[in-house]
Amino acid sequence: MAIALQVLRHFARAPSRPLLWGCPLTRLASGMALEEQARQIFESTVGAMLPGPMLQRALSLDPDSGQLKVRDRSFQLRQNLYLVGFGKAVLGMAAAAEELLGQHLVQGVISVPRGIRAAMEHAGKQEMLLKPHSRVQVFEGAEDNLPDRDALRAALAIRQLAEGLTADDLLLVLISGGGSALLPAPIPPVTLEEKQKLTKLLAARGANIQELNTIRKALSQLKGGGLAQAAYPAQVVSLILSDVVGDPVEVIASGPTVASVHSVQDCLHILNRYGLRAALPRSVKTVLARADSDPHGPHACGHVLNVIIGSNALALAEAQKQAEALGYKAVVLSTAIQGDVKNVAQFYGLLARVAGACLTMPAAGTSVEEDKQLYELAAQLQLPDLQLKEALEAVVGAQGPVCLLAGGEPTVQLQGSGKGGRNQELALRVGVELGQWPLEPIDVLFLSGGTDGQDGPTEAAGAWVRPELARQAVAEGLDVAAFLAHNDSYTFFCRFQGGAHLLHTGLTGTNVMDTHLLFLRPR
């Protein structure tokens, strides 16, 4: 930290440099309002992560030769292409894939959330819907993101298609967030209810997501590389839309096309740790014993090409490009924002204070105490890819408007029964934090939005705030602290200035977690 502070002080003393990037400051002053710019950047970011653009970037088909190119690999299509998929964004992905691949596609099966087709029709998003005579069969299930009998039927249909393939076939697998609940197929004699009960018991005793996934994979026909195994000897291309921090392909939808690295002993160790081994159903003991005696060991997935086609990192890269086109010095802070929303809000509030001082008073800068506090907050959040020092160095040399970008998925500790989502609560808390600092003479705006267009059980994707929020809320008779105490951020934003601060996009058909935008613009 001391080295970082010394570097910043060095930059603060450096002679000023001309503005060489982006658009001239006058364009910003006379162009769109800051709120409009924030919305435009967010919407263009989501647009770049929609199924059509993503698949067009990932796939290219030569109509004359029938050669399908995926990154640097080529596959020959000759009535040998099959498709399966599972996840919240897979309906639109399948529609885009069928549009691109046309008559080469022989058959497909996808598992999507209940009601997704009706929601897309209601929203007028025809591009997210399969054509009337599509070769892709659609199953809807996993209501409220919980595995159910309908999702099980879909998983068994996907397995049946995969097991019928030959060495001459190519299986295109489409995966997005929510895929795990949409692909439940326990290994017999384990039942869906037994697997769900064990998962709930582990979660109630404090098992983390990695431990839960280890057990799920061991009891699943298709997860942990099971789908890839079922499709062998066919070639498998898996196109993945990541909604997980760091994009670990073995975690997204529990890695159906990625060989599991966990053994039966790993499972037993987890079950022992939480005191559940003795109480296991006989069916679970049977499956684990059978796997333990398998002479072949874990199955390889050498016939699989896994490709991340959409992620938070790719979304932020698009946001950075759009911000720069509007004249901002744009810097990506992190794609792995996690932790309690209260701590994240404090970090963004202090970041605005420190970065604002670096931008408007580079010779003086902020106090050593504020710098120290910011780095301590960052250390508490434990963000593996945080580029804080680099971002502040860029701000010092900017001499113009700045946009700091980040993404991830903070968490909210529910204390009340209000209506809201993590993006709206984060925005509201950041608004309070911004109001505690004298930020003159710069305009500041913070926006937090979910790329799926739905923040919690609300119709908003998120919200945006300015430092004046707390003062303006008091003038309208709104008690911000009371709304936060009840996790009622959506109700607050609906009432505050007639709902003008809510971010409405409708369901987008994609999901690469959340996007956070912090704008600092000298007046």
Side-chain angles (χ1 to χ4, degrees):
M1 183 178 68
I3 294 174
L5 292 175
Q6 290 173 11
V7 171
L8 285 174
R9 301 303 179 203
H10 168 76
F11 272 81
R13 291 190 295 269
S16 61
R17 294 185 292 276
L19 190 61
L20 297 176
W21 47 265
C23 307
L25 196 57
T26 51
R27 174 180 168 183
L28 288 170
S30 61
M32 288 183 289
L34 188 53
E35 296 87 343
E36 293 173 357
Q37 292 172 348
R39 288 175 183 273
Q40 178 176 314
I41 292 170
F42 178 76
E43 289 172 2
S44 63
T45 301
V46 172
M49 293 296 105
L50 292 179
M54 283 191 300
L55 263 74
Q56 287 170 5
R57 289 193 296 267
L59 305 176
S60 62
L61 176 65
D62 185 334
D64 297 325
S65 66
Q67 284 278 327
L68 177 67
K69 190 167 185 179
V70 187
R71 296 287 166 88
D72 58 347
R73 294 273 299 277
S74 293
F75 302 89
Q76 182 64 51
L77 301 186
R78 47 181 181 273
Q79 288 295 300
N80 61 342
L81 177 63
Y82 297 80
L83 180 151
V84 298
F86 30 91
K88 295 179 180 179
V90 158
L91 181 62
M93 293 171 74
E98 190 167 35
E99 184 73 24
L100 179 67
L101 301 170
Q103 296 302 309
H104 292 285
L105 181 60
V106 179
Q107 181 188 359
V109 178
I110 61 173
S111 178
V112 298
R114 183 177 308 286
I116 188 70
R117 283 182 291 186
M120 290 300 172
E121 286 174 2
H122 180 73
K125 294 185 179 291
Q126 294 301 316
E127 73 278 7
M128 298 288 179
L129 298 169
L130 291 160
K131 299 294 189 291
H133 302 292
S134 170
R135 299 182 181 186
V136 179
Q137 183 180 9
V138 181
F139 288 82
E140 293 192 10
E143 195 163 6
D144 298 324
N145 203 34
L146 296 173
D148 57 20
R149 288 285 158 186
D150 290 326
L152 175 59
R153 279 192 284 272
L156 296 179
I158 287 172
R159 187 195 70 183
Q160 183 178 20
L161 185 151
E163 288 179 339
L165 301 179
T166 71
D168 294 326
D169 294 323
L170 173 64
L171 179 64
L172 188 64
V173 182
L174 308 177
I175 302 176
S176 76
S180 186
L182 287 158
L183 197 72
I187 300 173
V190 177
T191 67
L192 183 61
E193 291 75 17
E194 286 174 331
K195 185 180 173 186
Q196 287 176 299
K197 183 178 179 181
L198 179 57
T199 301
K200 288 178 181 177
L201 282 172
L202 282 164
R205 298 194 181 192
N208 61 35
I209 187 62
Q210 289 80 12
E211 291 169 327
L212 292 173
N213 277 341
T214 298
I215 300 297
R216 284 180 186 139
K217 290 177 184 180
L219 301 178
S220 295
Q221 296 182 46
L222 299 176
K223 294 169 185 173
L227 176 58
Q229 178 192 344
Y232 185 83
Q235 290 291 306
V236 177
V237 174
S238 184
L239 303 181
I240 304 169
L241 180 62
S242 172
D243 70 336
V244 180
V245 168
D247 308 329
V249 291
E250 72 278 4
V251 172
I252 303 166
S254 299
T257 56
V258 184
S260 178
V261 297
H262 298 292
S263 66
V264 171
Q265 291 306 312
D266 294 325
C267 295
L268 296 177
H269 179 70
I270 293 168
L271 294 167
N272 282 331
R273 180 182 304 166
Y274 296 104
L276 291 172
R277 184 171 178 181
L280 289 177
R282 179 175 298 177
S283 59
V284 173
K285 292 179 180 178
T286 298
V287 168
L288 292 178
R290 189 188 303 154
D292 197 29
S293 61
D294 185 352
H296 302 293
H299 299 276
C301 292
H303 59 300
V304 178
L305 173 63
N306 288 304
V307 181
I308 298 286
I309 63 169
S311 68
N312 195 258
L314 293 171
L316 290 180
E318 177 65 24
Q320 183 179 30
K321 183 173 73 174
Q322 292 295 326
E324 288 173 347
L326 288 171
Y328 288 89
K329 177 65 175 180
V331 184
V332 176
L333 276 168
S334 170
T335 63
I337 299 291
Q338 298 179 90
D340 189 89
V341 70
K342 297 177 185 177
N343 298 331
V344 175
Q346 290 176 355
F347 170 74
Y348 280 131
L350 189 53
L351 174 64
R353 163 66 179 156
V354 172
C358 291
L359 182 62
T360 58
M361 299 179 293
T366 52
S367 70
V368 172
E369 185 59 34
E370 287 173 350
D371 288 349
K372 179 181 177 183
Q373 187 180 353
L374 178 61
Y375 276 89
E376 287 175 348
L377 274 172
Q380 290 172 18
L381 290 173
Q382 298 181 328
L383 309 178
D385 66 342
L386 183 63
Q387 303 293 308
L388 179 56
K389 179 174 72 72
E390 294 81 356
L392 291 177
E393 288 174 359
V395 171
V396 169
Q399 297 184 2
V402 169
C403 178
L404 301 179
L405 309 105
E409 208 165 81
T411 53
V412 175
Q413 300 296 321
L414 293 176
Q415 299 170 319
S417 56
K419 192 173 184 180
R422 62 177 178 266
N423 286 284
Q424 292 162 81
E425 180 150 336
L426 175 61
L428 185 52
R429 290 187 179 279
V430 170
V432 173
E433 294 289 336
L434 293 176
Q436 296 176 4
W437 300 97
L439 291 167
E440 303 287 348
I442 57 172
D443 287 324
V444 180
L445 183 145
F446 176 80
L447 179 149
S448 182
T451 54
D452 62 354
Q454 185 173 27
D455 186 32
T458 77
E459 296 177 353
W464 59 271
V465 294
R466 284 180 171 274
E468 302 82 16
L469 177 139
R471 174 174 53 80
Q472 293 170 344
V474 170
E476 293 189 29
L478 300 173
D479 185 346
V480 175
F483 283 102
L484 286 172
H486 293 91
N487 301 114
D488 205 14
S489 54
Y490 179 69
T491 304
F492 170 84
F493 280 115
C494 283
R495 296 181 183 175
F496 181 59
Q497 297 187 350
H501 287 243
L502 283 171
L503 187 64
H504 286 288
T505 63
L507 290 176
T508 63
T510 190
N511 181 19
V512 289
M513 298 185 291
D514 304 335
T515 297
H516 305 153
L517 307 175
L518 178 61
F519 296 87
L520 305 166
R521 195 167 75 176
R523 291 175 183 163

